Amino acid sequence: MQWRDDQPIYRQLYQRMVALIVAGDIAPGEALPSVRQVAADYQINHLTVAKAYQALVDEQLVEKRRGLGMFVRAGADVRLREREREQFVQQLPELLAQARRLGMDKEALVKAINSLKEES
């Protein structure tokens, strides 16, 4: 994973874990990779990983189980998908305004979206 300079590493790691939960790669009830494992895999300080995990705990997306690790809470995936959808919808007015400035009409937008859907 490449770290960007525009955001603290713990926030980027937090977002990576959120993406894994949203995608279903880490399902509710499953354990997150251990702090030590993530620190070793990404070659970052274990305190950075712990800070990212604590942010997930603070949002009640994961829970600590003493002696076992961190586990994704039931419904965390649903809550995160709803949050991501809301954020996506909030971005639409700006994206549509940009498309209008670029001279794209509804037909061009639909064609572009359909083209993306076929690629994925």
Side-chain angles (χ1 to χ4, degrees):
M1 181 168 184
Q2 295 288 330
W3 304 112
R4 300 181 318 269
D5 292 334
D6 63 339
Q7 225 177 17
I9 291 174
Y10 88 90
R11 285 302 298 175
Q12 294 176 59
L13 182 59
Y14 162 88
Q15 291 169 344
R16 172 78 178 131
M17 291 300 153
V18 164
L20 289 171
I21 294 168
V22 168
D25 292 332
I26 304 176
E30 288 185 358
L32 297 180
S34 73
V35 169
R36 289 179 191 265
Q37 185 63 53
V38 173
D41 288 348
Y42 294 125
Q43 298 181 345
I44 56 178
N45 190 300
H46 70 280
L47 295 175
T48 300
V49 180
K51 189 171 182 178
Y53 280 14
Q54 186 59 47
L56 294 166
V57 170
D58 292 345
E59 293 184 20
Q60 300 184 356
L61 299 170
V62 301
E63 60 186 354
K64 294 178 186 176
R65 295 184 189 165
R66 186 177 297 211
L68 298 175
M70 303 278 204
F71 292 79
V72 177
R73 296 178 67 135
D77 55 337
V78 174
R79 288 184 24 229
L80 285 170
R81 278 190 208 101
E82 287 174 5
R83 186 173 81 183
E84 299 271 321
R85 273 189 222 115
E86 288 173 14
Q87 290 172 350
F88 175 76
V89 169
Q90 289 175 356
Q91 295 172 350
L92 283 178
E94 177 56 33
L95 292 173
L96 289 174
Q98 185 177 7
R100 271 189 234 111
R101 285 192 302 271
L102 297 172
M104 296 179 74
D105 60 10
K106 181 180 176 182
E107 184 177 317
L109 285 172
V110 170
K111 185 177 178 181
I113 291 169
N114 286 336
S115 175
L116 289 172
K117 283 176 58 178
E118 291 173 8
E119 291 176 10
S120 59

